[in-house]
Amino acid sequence: MWSHILAVGLLFSIFLMAGAKRLGALIRAFRFQSLMLALSTASFALRYGDRELWIITAMILFIKVWLIPRHLNKITAEMSSGENMGLVLNPPLSVIAVIVFCWLIYGFYDSFIGGMSGDARLNFSISLLAVFTGFFLMVFRLKALAQIIGLLVMENGVFMLASSISSGMPFIVEIAVFFDLFVLVVVAGVFVYRIKGLFTHIDVSRLTRLKG
């Protein structure tokens, strides 16, 4: 029952991201998704009695639920860039696109994979949907901060995918991924500051004017 509730929470977070109009709402949706991911990992740790999964749960809570959203909120506040995300597709069309993704993933699973149990199939589908949604945010949102969050959502999807088709990645790999992720957000934040300082905005579409 709890696994289904957490899966619904993860799915709900994906639609929240697709329907978000402002960066603040997108950051809150990412925090909520990371919290659902941490609770899901904790449920696996409790079920299998795995200490390493408890450590990974604690790292998700510290890095993805607290540290990264706090850092992104700080950048958003300092740049006064919380009004919009440079939407290429408006929120209603974005939600429809995610629904189409969901339908395609279920069709892909039925045609080419199959053989998983009900819970595994649900987690596999949601994780693939998270990867596609992260990619969608990177392509159809023009603000640099929104694209950073899209990359983080893709990483959440890859983490869920590894958990759904196996027992997860090796512990050392998980630690390295979390460290790389944190460094990525810090470095990306520095680049966003530089873009803002040089061009007075963080809309990456305007950077195409720099082409010779």
Side-chain angles (χ1 to χ4, degrees):
M1 177 183 173
W2 284 109
S3 63
H4 290 170
I5 293 174
L6 294 174
V8 170
L10 287 167
L11 187 61
F12 183 61
S13 70
I14 291 172
F15 284 103
L16 280 179
M17 289 178 181
K21 292 182 180 178
R22 299 184 178 185
L23 281 170
L26 187 62
I27 294 171
R28 286 193 293 274
F30 170 73
R31 172 175 276 164
F32 177 71
Q33 182 182 76
S34 299
L35 178 61
M36 292 296 103
L37 190 63
L39 293 175
S40 179
T41 307
S43 70
F44 283 117
L46 187 63
R47 183 185 305 171
Y48 300 114
D50 191 330
R51 293 180 181 178
E52 293 179 349
L53 287 178
W54 283 115
I55 296 174
I56 292 171
T57 300
M59 293 188 69
I60 293 174
L61 288 172
F62 177 68
I63 294 177
K64 291 185 175 179
V65 178
W66 182 72
L67 192 58
I68 290 178
R70 183 173 179 269
H71 185 61
L72 293 175
N73 277 324
K74 181 182 176 184
I75 295 174
T76 303
E78 291 181 357
M79 294 188 173
S80 302
S81 55
E83 293 302 318
N84 66 76
M85 295 187 290
L87 301 173
V88 176
L89 278 183
N90 61 40
L93 287 179
S94 299
V95 171
I96 292 172
V98 170
I99 293 172
V100 172
F101 281 148
C102 192
W103 177 72
L104 290 175
I105 288 169
Y106 262 82
F108 171 78
Y109 176 88
D110 289 336
S111 302
F112 298 101
I113 302 179
M116 289 183 179
S117 65
D119 287 348
R121 178 185 179 184
L122 183 62
N123 291 331
F124 175 83
S125 301
I126 292 175
S127 59
L128 269 187
L129 185 62
V131 172
F132 279 115
T133 303
F135 181 73
F136 178 86
L137 291 175
M138 293 181 69
V139 173
F140 291 99
R141 301 293 183 262
L142 298 179
K143 291 292 181 66
L145 285 175
Q147 295 178 350
I148 292 171
I149 295 173
L151 185 62
L152 294 172
V153 174
M154 287 183 70
E155 197 280 332
N156 274 353
V158 171
F159 181 88
M160 287 186 276
L161 189 62
S163 300
S164 63
I165 62 178
S166 67
S167 58
M169 291 181 280
F171 180 67
I172 296 299
V173 176
E174 297 281 9
I175 299 296
V177 168
F178 282 126
F179 180 74
D180 288 346
L181 200 62
F182 177 67
V183 172
L184 168 71
V185 172
V186 172
V187 172
V190 172
F191 273 106
V192 170
Y193 275 117
R194 292 290 296 166
I195 293 172
K196 176 74 173 180
L198 290 173
F199 304 106
T200 67
H201 57 78
I202 56 173
D203 188 337
V204 295
S205 67
R206 300 186 189 179
L207 300 182
T208 57
R209 298 175 184 172
L210 299 177
K211 291 180 180 177

